Amino acid sequence: MIHRRSNDLHFSQIMLLLKRRRVFIASIVLLSGAAATGIGLTLPPYYTAKAQLLYQADAQVGTERSEDSAVDTLVEMLNSPGQLRRLAKSLEPSPGDTSEITPAELAQTETTKSSPPVLDYDTLDQGLNVYKERQSRLVAVTFRSIDPETAALVANRAVKLYLEHESDFQREARAQALRTVSERMPDALARIDQAEGALREHKIKFGLADSGAAGFDPNDRQIGEFSQQLIIAQSDLAARDAKLQTLSEQQRSISEGNADSQNGIEQVVGKDQTVHASSDATQPLGEDQQNEIKQVMLGRDAVAARVSDIDKRLATLQEANAKTTPAWIRLRELEREANAAGEAYENLQRQQNDLRGQGNGRLSVRIVSMADVPDLPSSPNPLLFVAPTLVASLLIGGFLAVLLERLDQRLRSERDVEETLDAPCIGMVPTVPSGMRANIAQLLRNEPYAPYTEAIRSVYVAATRGSARSILVTSSALGDGKSTLVRSLAAFAERLGQRVLVIDFDLRHPQISRLIDDGKRESTPGAQTDTNDLPWEALIRTAKKDGIDYLTIPRLPVDPLTVLLNDDFPSLIKQQRQNYDCILIDSAPVGGATETRLLAMMVDCVIFTVRWGVTEAGTALAAVQQLRSSATAQGIPIAVVVNQVDLRAHRRGGYSEPVAMSPVPA
């Protein structure tokens, strides 16, 4: 399909195109369906077995995020290359060895095989799938295989192998920790003995007792006691001084004029001496007041003496304590070292007891369910893919059909001719029936309504309309049926009572004499070799069967252009136009003969024939452009005839399009 003036395909054109290529599309669909069915029948079904593990969160796990991380870690460990290698190795027993399959696995998978299947690392990596089930702590372990028993066996083996590996790892770690603790205990005992020995030696050397729970030596306690007593005595002395001051203020307010008595009292208080009683009858103080002052003074003196005694004893103790403090400090350091050594030994004993009491311990993962042998395959039925394959192949076939049509540049329809060659298509001539090829005139006479007769009638009317008297028939290549078309047009014109002259100027492959007069030809009088002396009129012959006049140019050993450049041949055409109603010239193809382009300038119009479904658009366009390039200023009127049309294929492919037959330009 050629559409040079529009790159868009309308819906009707697409449907017509698909209808035209329906056999091609149906072949692709059938082949694809057959291939999909064959593949579906040959592919074995796959079975999937699933085992489940539950991650048990420890009490130390505080957040949901840590649980999710632990579950994700469990999934990665079950999918790790190391786990797959261990699984592959466990499935490779030695010949005749069935110890790898436990009785529980045999009961679970209901298998009667003598040995587990041999699966390599890549097969396990492709078939084994471990994933977290939704938002839970359940971990699913699945295996996909064409054998349901193998699927269940591998899934269960993967779960148990992981648990055994984790148990062995924990047991080895516990044993290693116990060995480490046992190796450290003798060193801890030696440090205890060393610390206690150093403590005893220090006590004996300095004559020190235990520092006690308070952590102080006796001198510290005595210094503390004397310090407290000193504080109390100083407080009592201050209280007594305050009381004497108060009595002095009271005395001043009672007797403001007796300065001597007041001075006497203040003198006694200020000098810290005993008041001597005076027998002077003029003493302003009363007897009670004097007694109270004496008692306060006596108590003050006693307290002052006590304060002085405590100060002396405290100074003595502090001097002695300054000499014994480094020994006590070292004593406390040794005691702390001994306590630390004892605590370290006790910690090791506790660790040892805890490790021994743990036994096998508890894994953070437990089995929820083991894999059962699946009864139904997990893979979809391969035959279900036949329908999608048919749909996909239908789309692909349609696309390829459109692509092939767009790439097909062969001329088949009037539209192809007009859009490609920019020339009117005046007829679609079908193929001559095989039984009538030898007598075309009889076909035209006996079957006036046959498709071939109708096509020749249409071409003749369109070609001879107007003043067109001389017509050149050519093509782009041999085999396009131009000579048969000339013979048919001549026979049709003769049947209409027209005088027709057929000139065969195809010097390389002459066909007219064979078609018109069954190859019978009288010998040319004289063997002329000079084209200037060639009697053209003498070469005109009349067919005995149809009475058609024809002229066959002899194949002379000269350049064919010498015939055309000679004035005799153009004069012959002009002269015969007066004698004949129509002159038909059968020339060689344009691409292989230069004389054809010269003949085109001597005629009224040119009929260019193309072969239906064979002639390429590019080849025909090049030939037409060669004809136009040799035209005069007025141009050469060119009409196109599509020859040898397969009518059934033409109708079936929908190539027929209603077009208006344009007359040949005058």
Side-chain angles (χ1 to χ4, degrees), residues 177-391:
L178 187 60
R179 287 193 297 270
T180 303
V181 170
S182 301
E183 292 174 356
R184 292 173 58 188
M185 290 186 68
D187 295 337
L189 285 174
R191 284 196 295 271
I192 291 176
D193 294 340
Q194 182 180 0
E196 290 180 351
L199 181 61
R200 285 193 299 271
E201 292 178 359
H202 185 75
K203 289 181 178 180
I204 295 172
K205 180 178 179 180
F206 292 95
L208 302 176
D210 293 338
S211 60
F216 296 100
D217 54 35
N219 288 339
D220 291 337
R221 290 196 295 272
Q222 290 180 4
I223 290 173
E225 292 174 358
F226 279 119
S227 298
Q228 293 178 358
Q229 293 176 8
L230 179 61
I231 292 172
I232 295 172
Q234 289 177 348
S235 176
D236 190 10
L237 181 60
R240 292 180 183 276
D241 288 341
K243 187 174 184 180
L244 287 176
Q245 185 67 22
T246 302
L247 291 175
S248 176
E249 294 293 334
Q250 291 177 357
Q251 182 63 27
R252 186 181 299 110
S253 62
I254 295 174
S255 178
E256 295 178 356
N258 193 354
D260 294 338
S261 298
Q262 184 66 25
N263 292 332
I265 295 174
E266 293 176 356
Q267 182 179 4
V268 174
V269 175
K271 295 180 180 181
D272 196 16
Q273 296 179 356
T274 304
V275 179
H276 298 286
S278 175
S279 61
D280 190 356
T282 63
Q283 183 65 254
L285 298 175
E287 184 176 357
D288 294 336
Q289 293 178 346
Q290 291 180 0
N291 291 333
E292 184 178 1
I293 291 173
K294 288 181 180 179
Q295 291 177 0
V296 173
M297 293 295 293
L298 291 175
R300 180 188 180 283
D301 292 340
V303 172
R306 185 180 177 188
V307 169
S308 176
D309 182 60
I310 292 174
D311 282 338
K312 292 179 180 179
R313 297 179 65 183
L314 185 59
T316 302
L317 288 174
Q318 289 177 348
E319 183 179 358
N321 187 52
K323 297 179 181 180
T324 59
T325 297
W328 284 103
I329 293 174
R330 178 59 181 164
L331 176 64
R332 288 194 292 273
E333 292 178 354
L334 293 175
E335 287 178 348
R336 285 194 295 269
E337 292 178 359
N339 292 333
E343 291 177 358
Y345 183 75
E346 291 177 358
N347 289 333
L348 291 176
Q349 283 185 326
R350 274 196 303 274
Q351 293 179 10
Q352 187 180 43
N353 294 332
D354 292 342
L355 292 173
R356 289 176 177 174
Q358 286 180 0
N360 293 330
R362 183 176 69 90
L363 295 176
S364 59
V365 181
R366 68 178 180 87
I367 298 177
V368 176
S369 63
M370 297 295 290
D372 296 327
V373 178
D375 298 329
L376 299 176
S378 58
S379 60
N381 190 348
L383 296 179
L384 296 177
F385 294 100
V386 175
T389 302
L390 293 178
V391 175

Side-chain angles (χ1 to χ4, degrees), residues 74-96:
L74 175 60
V75 171
E76 294 299 327
M77 291 178 66
L78 287 167
N79 264 329
S80 63
Q83 171 70 8
L84 292 178
R85 282 192 289 269
R86 287 191 295 270
L87 181 59
K89 185 177 180 180
S90 67
L91 295 173
E92 295 178 356
S94 58

Side-chain angles (χ1 to χ4, degrees), residues 383-666:
L383 296 179
L384 296 177
F385 294 100
V386 175
T389 302
L390 293 178
V391 175
S393 62
L394 181 62
L395 296 176
I396 295 174
F399 174 77
L400 292 177
V402 174
L403 181 62
L404 290 175
E405 283 289 327
R406 299 293 282 184
L407 295 177
D408 189 1
Q409 296 296 310
R410 291 175 293 180
L411 300 174
R412 287 189 176 88
S413 65
E414 297 91 336
R415 183 174 181 178
D416 292 344
V417 170
E418 293 176 356
E419 291 189 357
T420 303
L421 305 181
D422 194 18
C425 180
I426 61 174
M428 304 285 294
V429 179
T431 304
V432 180
S434 58
M436 301 299 295
R437 291 179 182 178
N439 197 347
I440 296 177
Q442 183 180 357
L443 172 64
L444 297 175
R445 182 176 58 255
N446 298 335
E447 298 183 16
Y449 300 106
Y452 186 82
T453 305
E454 288 288 348
I456 295 299
R457 183 183 299 115
S458 174
V459 173
Y460 182 81
V461 171
T464 59
R465 181 179 301 178
S467 60
R469 304 291 294 276
S470 58
I471 302 172
L472 175 67
V473 181
T474 184
S475 64
S476 61
L478 291 174
D480 289 344
K482 60 180 181 57
S483 299
T484 303
L485 179 63
V486 171
R487 173 69 178 90
S488 300
L489 291 174
F492 185 81
E494 189 273 335
R495 184 171 175 271
L496 294 177
Q498 301 289 324
R499 296 193 63 194
V500 182
L501 175 62
V502 178
I503 300 176
D504 188 0
F505 209 89
D506 190 353
L507 303 179
R508 295 164 181 81
H509 302 87
Q511 298 289 332
I512 292 299
S513 61
R514 182 180 60 83
L515 293 173
I516 293 180
D517 209 10
D518 295 333
K520 298 178 180 179
R521 178 180 176 184
E522 296 179 2
S523 59
T524 302
Q528 292 127 338
T529 59
D530 187 1
T531 58
N532 294 326
D533 298 333
L534 205 66
W536 297 110
E537 292 80 359
L539 296 177
I540 297 176
R541 297 289 183 265
T542 301
K544 296 180 180 180
K545 182 184 297 186
D546 298 332
I548 299 175
D549 294 339
Y550 65 94
L551 188 154
T552 302
I553 304 298
R555 188 169 184 177
L556 303 174
V558 293
D559 194 309
L561 292 182
T562 59
V563 178
L564 298 178
L565 294 177
N566 193 327
D567 294 335
D568 292 341
F569 188 81
S571 300
L572 174 66
I573 296 178
K574 292 179 182 180
Q575 180 181 358
Q576 298 306 321
R577 284 168 61 94
Q578 304 298 325
N579 301 326
Y580 294 94
D581 297 321
C582 180
I583 300 175
L584 298 174
I585 302 176
D586 181 17
S587 67
V590 178
T594 307
E595 62 271 14
T596 302
R597 282 176 276 175
L598 294 178
L599 285 172
M601 295 186 292
M602 301 178 185
V603 297
D604 296 330
C605 71
V606 176
I607 295 179
F608 185 82
T609 61
V610 296
R611 186 175 179 181
W612 183 89
V614 175
T615 303
E616 295 285 342
T619 304
L621 180 60
V624 171
Q625 287 178 348
Q626 288 180 2
L627 290 174
R628 288 173 177 165
S629 64
S630 60
T632 60
Q634 291 78 13
I636 300 176
I638 300 176
V640 181
V641 172
V642 180
N643 211 359
Q644 300 182 14
V645 179
D646 187 348
L647 294 180
R648 292 184 180 179
H650 191 77
R651 286 194 297 268
R652 185 172 57 249
Y655 294 107
S656 297
E657 300 180 16
V659 295
M661 291 294 182
S662 301
V664 179

Side-chain angles (χ1 to χ4, degrees), residues 110-151:
E110 300 179 359
T111 182
T112 58
K113 297 179 180 180
S114 59
S115 62
V118 178
L119 302 174
D120 56 4
Y121 178 89
D122 294 334
T123 304
L124 293 176
D125 188 20
Q126 295 176 0
L128 189 66
N129 185 24
V130 182
Y131 58 91
K132 176 183 175 181
E133 293 192 3
R134 298 181 182 179
Q135 301 298 325
S136 64
R137 291 180 291 171
L138 283 176
V139 176
V141 180
T142 64
F143 187 76
R144 185 169 179 263
S145 176
I146 59 176
D147 183 12
E149 296 179 355
T150 300

Side-chain angles (χ1 to χ4, degrees), residues 11-79:
F11 178 76
S12 59
Q13 295 173 346
I14 294 177
M15 297 305 296
L16 181 62
L17 185 151
L18 296 178
K19 180 181 178 181
R20 186 181 304 155
R21 296 280 182 171
R22 59 184 178 272
V23 176
F24 173 76
I25 297 174
S27 300
I28 292 180
V29 172
L30 292 177
L31 289 176
S32 301
T37 304
I39 294 174
L41 294 176
T42 56
L43 286 178
Y46 281 86
Y47 297 85
T48 301
K50 180 173 75 172
Q52 288 181 317
L53 295 175
L54 175 64
Y55 173 77
Q56 304 177 107
D58 297 333
Q60 291 79 7
V61 178
T63 60
E64 184 178 356
R65 179 179 297 178
S66 60
E67 291 184 4
D68 293 339
S69 300
V71 175
D72 294 339
T73 303
L74 175 60
V75 171
E76 294 299 327
M77 291 178 66
L78 287 167
N79 264 329

